[in-house]
Amino acid sequence: MNSLALALVLTLSIATSSMAGTLPTAVSSASAGTLARELANTLQLNELQYLKLKGFETKKLEAIKAAETALTGQELVAQLTTIESAFSASVLEILTPNQQKAFIGMKTLVDVAQTSPAK
């Protein structure tokens, strides 16, 4: 059940990230907090981990917004991939080994879901 919940949180994170360029900063910040809290609940993060995660989410959304403003096409795709990789690396650094396994597992599920053709 936790796996499914985390997959949902990560999917929402990615969906929010893809819309970040069209959202006002206040909405993006609220979304970062909401996404961070959901992920924190799913991974059972402590408050310090949550605060760090919220900062990572905020930076990620700001970077996505900047990239969507300045880039298009393959350059944008490459930059978004770089942003997501940096976010994941930052998150992994603050997690315990068990939390890391759960995060990687959910990230893998989301990646597979995104690359699978729609039915």
Side-chain angles (χ1 to χ4, degrees):
M1 188 66 175
N2 277 346
S3 297
L4 182 58
L6 183 55
L8 177 62
V9 169
L10 290 174
T11 301
L12 291 173
S13 175
I14 293 166
T16 301
S17 296
S18 67
M19 295 172 36
T22 61
L23 297 175
T25 304
V27 174
S28 295
S29 295
S31 297
T34 301
L35 293 170
R37 181 54 68 191
E38 290 296 323
L39 190 56
N41 289 339
T42 302
L43 291 176
Q44 299 178 347
L45 302 183
N46 62 40
E47 194 63 20
L48 181 59
Q49 288 173 311
Y50 162 73
L51 292 172
K52 289 180 180 180
L53 180 64
K54 183 178 174 186
F56 300 154
E57 283 281 1
T58 300
K59 285 181 184 179
K60 179 176 95 169
L61 292 175
E62 289 171 358
I64 289 170
K65 184 176 180 178
E68 288 177 338
T69 301
L71 304 171
T72 60
Q74 291 299 336
E75 291 176 331
L76 176 59
V77 172
Q79 185 64 25
L80 293 177
T81 301
T82 301
I83 293 166
E84 187 61 37
S85 295
F87 171 77
S88 294
S90 296
V91 171
L92 286 171
E93 287 180 12
I94 66 167
L95 301 177
T96 65
N98 286 338
Q99 291 168 332
Q100 289 174 349
K101 288 177 188 175
F103 181 76
I104 291 169
M106 291 308 93
K107 189 138 179 56
T108 301
L109 286 175
V110 170
D111 291 345
V112 169
Q114 287 182 336
T115 57
S116 296
K119 292 181 182 179

